[in-house]
Amino acid sequence: MHRLFHDQPIPEKLRGAVIALGNFDGFHLGHQAVVNRAIALGFHMRKPVIVATFDPHPVLHFKPDIPPFRLTSLDQRADLFAHAGADAMLVFRFGAELAAMDAPEFVAEVLARRLGASGVVTGDDFSFGKGRSGDVNLLRTLGAQHGITAEAVSQVLIEDERVSSGRIRDLLVAGDPANATRLLTRPFAIEGVVERGDGRGGAELDCPTANVRLGDYQRPAYGIYAVSVRLDDDSEHPGVASLGIRPTFEPPVELLEANLFNFSGDLYGRTIEVGLLHYIRPEWKFDSMEALGERMKQDAIEAKRLMGLAE
Ligand code: RBF
Ligand code: MG
């Protein structure tokens, strides 16, 4: 996937594109509707399609200390946009420059001059420009002055409620990854580089785990999950994972630890993606390693049952 940055020159062949404009964290059903419309418009206008995103997220510029909330990493978004059929990803590096730009300046300077956009598609709740003062109506008016077609796509409803990143975060926090999956159209997946742990899982518990940090991701409910793990060779492996602080041990360390069924091999240093399918139980503090190990075996059985796998 071609990666462009809003403050760098754009290659000639991508000028004049149709731009899907938004943040698209999560790339859920609502985001997909916006991007699909941009792709249809690009097809109709015979123009390339660029999907925008913000990194860092604008909110971090105003509130640098808010707890982690991301549903995807930038790499995951690049991958998702590519599979959706976009020609390139445009990364808005949000900082003082963009924060200070008013709506007319954003359209004139960024969309028209730097990108030479032919069209722009947003969600109907899109806002932009200094203080988020511009809405889709203003985008249409300003766009017309620069020969840019602007379209707003209606929100997507599931069970009479808008699909939004916030709703997905709430489901994850509530320990309901299966419903988050419905809105995302794929499991919420945490991507990270496998770190070396204490070795206890393999040596003492007969349950080796690949350890990954939670980084900028939204923290789902701490607990034990049935998971599907994608490796960097695109292979998928069912497994069981613990996500949390491991209250049995001191000091508490926040980690995602995945045990892959039917896989043996060294994953240290490799990038994996752990998709959360089903919530099994909260984390518990155990009195002995034996009790913990016993329960981990049961968790694996329960995960297999939830995923419809044979014992
Ligand atoms: N650690 C805890 O302190 N409490 C738990 O309830 C707990 N459950 C786990 C369930 C599974 C399926 C796995 C893979 C790990 C779990 N852990 C739990 C983490 C475990 O303590 C850790 O993987 C090993 O100690 C190795 O570091
Ligand atoms: Mg481990």
Side-chain angles (χ1 to χ4, degrees), residues 3-195:
R3 264 186 221 199
L4 312 168
F5 294 91
H6 84 275
D7 51 2
Q8 284 176 16
I10 169 166
E12 204 47 47
K13 72 174 181 24
L14 288 170
R15 274 189 76 79
V18 172
I19 317 243
L21 193 55
N23 189 21
F24 305 120
D25 186 22
F27 202 54
H28 55 58
L29 274 170
H31 297 149
Q32 291 172 32
V34 173
V35 170
N36 288 342
R37 179 59 201 147
I39 288 168
L41 193 58
F43 175 71
H44 174 74
M45 297 174 87
R46 302 285 187 270
K47 299 292 184 189
V49 175
I50 299 175
V51 180
T53 192
F54 289 82
D55 197 87
H57 192 287
V59 87
L60 291 172
H61 178 76
F62 303 101
K63 298 182 207 164
D65 296 326
I66 61 164
F69 60 87
R70 277 291 191 186
L71 294 173
T72 55
S73 69
L74 190 58
D75 286 346
Q76 285 175 312
R77 263 170 279 152
D79 206 48
L80 291 163
F81 299 168
H83 282 291
D87 297 292
M89 170 164 90
L90 170 65
V91 182
F92 283 95
R93 290 196 272 217
F94 197 89
E97 181 220 12
L98 281 176
M101 212 180 265
D102 65 19
E105 198 185 347
F106 179 77
V107 175
E109 174 61 21
V110 179
L111 297 184
R113 198 184 68 78
R114 287 190 213 166
L115 301 168
S118 300
V120 57
V121 182
T122 66
D124 61 6
D125 60 347
F126 182 74
S127 64
F128 69 107
K130 191 176 173 184
R132 308 188 71 172
S133 54
D135 62 5
V136 294
N137 288 320
L138 185 63
L139 186 57
R140 220 173 275 125
T141 306
L142 293 170
Q145 295 168 11
H146 296 276
I148 301 171
T149 305
E151 280 192 28
V153 173
S154 306
Q155 53 199 23
V156 173
L157 302 180
I158 294 276
E159 277 142 19
D160 298 329
E161 211 187 312
R162 197 169 78 88
V163 175
S164 67
S165 297
R167 184 172 166 197
I168 294 165
R169 288 190 194 100
D170 290 347
L171 288 166
L172 293 171
V173 168
D176 189 358
N179 272 311
T181 300
R182 292 175 59 219
L183 307 190
L184 287 167
T185 68
R186 58 179 197 285
F188 169 65
I190 291 168
E191 181 187 66
V193 176
V194 178
E195 292 186 358

Side-chain angles (χ1 to χ4, degrees), residues 267-285:
L267 290 174
Y268 293 127
R270 288 175 64 178
T271 299
I272 67 170
E273 221 181 343
V274 182
L276 306 186
L277 305 183
H278 305 282
Y279 182 81
I280 298 177
R281 65 170 175 91
E283 296 185 285
W284 293 327
K285 185 172 162 65

Side-chain angles (χ1 to χ4, degrees), residues 188-195 209-214 217 220 223 225 227 229 240-246 253-259 272-276:
F188 169 65
I190 291 168
E191 181 187 66
V193 176
V194 178
E195 292 186 358
T209 56
N211 299 7
V212 169
R213 301 260 164 202
L214 295 173
Y217 287 98
Y225 289 86
V227 297
V229 182
V240 64
S242 129
L243 190 161
I245 55 155
R246 312 186 298 178
V253 179
E254 192 190 51
L255 266 185
L256 172 56
E257 293 193 77
N259 170 252
I272 67 170
E273 221 181 343
V274 182
L276 306 186

Side-chain angles (χ1 to χ4, degrees), residues 198 200-201 205 207 209 224 240-242 246-249 257 259 281-286 292 296 299:
D198 45 31
R200 199 164 46 213
L205 290 160
C207 184
T209 56
I224 315 309
V240 64
S242 129
R246 312 186 298 178
T248 307
F249 300 96
E257 293 193 77
N259 170 252
R281 65 170 175 91
E283 296 185 285
W284 293 327
K285 185 172 162 65
F286 287 90
L292 170 62
M296 286 165 66
D299 293 329

